[in-house]
Amino acid sequence: MGHAQDFETLVERHRREIQVHCYRMLGSVADAEDLTQETFLRAWKGRDGFEGRASVRTWLYRIATNACLDVLARRPRRVLPDQLGPAGEPDGPIAAVDLPWLEPYPDRLLEGAAPDETGAVVIERETIELAYLAALQYLPPRQRAALVLRDVLGWPAKETAAALDTSVASANSALQRARATLRERLPARRAEWTVGEPSAEETALLKRFIAAYEDGDPAAVARLLHQDAQAIMPPYPLWFGNRASIVRALSLSMDPASPHCVGRFRMRPVRANRQPAVATYLRRPEEHDHRWFGVTLLTIEDGLITAMAAFESATAAAWGLPETWPEHEPA
């Protein structure tokens, strides 16, 4: 493995899945990209110590896990607004807060992840959706690592303990505590959400959702929401806990006569964290083109939207989209 080109050929096929692993551990697309590079750098520097007793894939996961643990030791956990306090009510402009927010992950980056040596799928939708990632953030770093290695990657206890440089008993104890915390933090009706490949019903709902936003029609949006729907909007800590609050907020931001009107929206369907989502562009008052605004993930249950998670921090480049949507270009 001494030649640089041979090394790159050997490890490059694992880049996407290592990046997804780092994302699960860290909750940030940018951090995952950085730690993937750090993993390959550490692997290159330590290549002479690779003896072939484990596969290259296992070796890279072990390096990546410990690189992530080094980062987590000095950084706070990533959060979502609904983890910070109770729901509120809209009342004019909301101030953004600089916190380590959890970030969404584009499905276009998931598609490049290779299967493992057995041909098994390494990115199941249950372990990449936003609710799962949010629950993972509650786990201390080593518990998080133990759970991801055992329950996501399917590693045996002995291999997990070796990766974490601990005993099998300690690794199993960390796993059991992590599973207990996850049971408390995951939504009770998670299995009923619409996930995976989009259905015809979901596609039709997305079209109606986009039309309602582009028409600036809060009442039309309301007809698509469950009465207990929730909406979060990082980097804003205020979040809404029911349909009425969401519609009041939209009325303030969509009405051209409102002093709080943000402008007009254009949207296109995308996918993020194996969930339906929309990429959003905003034309602010007195501007000509629609400019990138962010990505909103939707949770759908029984044909209605039960949760909206709008991320202004998401970058257009991560979704392979342009920064502007000129007014003359059709949807």
Side-chain angles (χ1 to χ4, degrees):
M1 204 193 295
H3 194 279
Q5 186 174 359
D6 293 341
F7 174 83
E8 184 175 356
T9 300
L10 192 61
V11 303
E12 189 62 31
R13 68 183 297 269
H14 301 290
R15 176 177 293 275
R16 286 301 190 203
E17 62 173 307
I18 293 297
Q19 184 171 319
V20 173
H21 177 63
C22 293
Y23 170 71
R24 282 196 186 97
M25 290 290 294
L26 302 173
S28 163
V29 178
D31 286 354
E33 291 174 346
D34 290 345
L35 265 292
T36 300
Q37 290 300 111
E38 173 66 17
T39 295
F40 285 5
L41 178 61
R42 291 188 185 189
W44 171 251
K45 290 180 177 178
R47 64 193 184 281
D48 291 339
F50 177 66
E51 299 175 351
R53 288 196 293 265
S55 67
V56 171
R57 177 176 182 265
T58 297
W59 179 57
L60 291 173
Y61 267 106
R62 181 170 181 171
I63 295 171
T65 299
N66 284 281
C68 289
L69 289 174
D70 290 344
V71 170
L72 291 171
R74 59 181 185 269
R75 293 187 187 177
R77 71 179 179 92
R78 290 188 172 269
V79 297
L80 291 175
D82 57 334
Q83 299 170 342
L84 302 178
E89 293 295 329
D91 185 22
I94 309 170
V97 175
D98 185 14
L99 289 174
W101 298 107
L102 184 64
E103 299 173 1
Y105 198 88
D107 274 20
R108 65 187 286 269
L109 300 183
L110 296 175
E111 303 310 324
D116 64 20
E117 280 83 352
T118 69
V121 177
V122 297
I123 302 174
E124 297 291 348
R125 54 109 174 150
E126 294 90 347
T127 65
I128 200 66
E129 64 193 20
L130 197 65
Y132 185 84
L133 269 294
L136 278 185
Q137 301 305 304
Y138 283 100
L139 302 179
R142 295 184 71 80
Q143 287 185 31
R144 192 182 310 180
L147 185 131
V148 171
L149 292 175
R150 289 292 307 277
D151 287 359
V152 176
L153 299 179
W155 283 23
K158 186 176 181 180
E159 201 167 276
T160 299
L164 298 178
D165 194 22
T166 189
S167 67
V168 170
S170 294
N172 285 338
S173 177
L175 175 65
Q176 295 307 316
R177 293 196 300 273
R179 285 173 174 171
T181 299
L182 223 60
R183 284 193 294 270
E184 295 174 358
R185 296 295 180 179
L186 285 173
R189 300 180 65 182
R190 175 172 169 241
E192 299 177 26
W193 298 349
T194 297
V195 290
E197 293 301 315
S199 65
E201 181 184 36
E202 176 193 307
T203 301
L205 188 150
L206 276 175
K207 287 182 179 179
R208 292 168 61 198
F209 181 83
I210 290 172
Y213 261 80
E214 293 186 341
D215 291 342
D217 188 349
V221 177
R223 290 191 287 271
L224 307 177
L225 301 178
H226 190 277
Q227 64 178 357
D228 295 325
Q230 298 183 358
I232 60 174
M233 305 158 290
Y236 305 102
L238 179 65
W239 63 283
F240 309 123
N242 55 65
R243 177 174 56 201
S245 296
I246 295 172
V247 173
R248 280 196 293 273
L250 291 177
S251 297
L252 288 172
S253 62
M254 288 182 170
D255 183 0
S258 167
H260 309 301
C261 179
V262 297
R264 296 298 299 269
F265 294 98
R266 294 184 83 178
M267 293 177 165
R268 63 179 69 190
V270 293
R271 302 283 296 181
N273 295 77
R274 298 293 195 213
Q275 296 176 230
V278 290
T280 304
Y281 289 77
L282 175 65
R283 188 185 70 191
R284 299 186 183 278
E286 302 181 1
E287 289 188 355
H288 181 68
D289 291 333
H290 288 74
R291 301 184 185 280
W292 177 261
F293 189 69
V295 170
T296 299
L297 279 65
L298 304 178
T299 301
I300 299 173
E301 183 180 330
D302 296 329
L304 290 174
I305 296 168
T306 58
M308 301 162 56
F311 295 88
E312 289 187 25
S313 61
T315 64
W319 270 264
L321 294 173
E323 290 289 339
T324 61
W325 190 340
E327 188 62 28
H328 65 274
E329 287 190 7

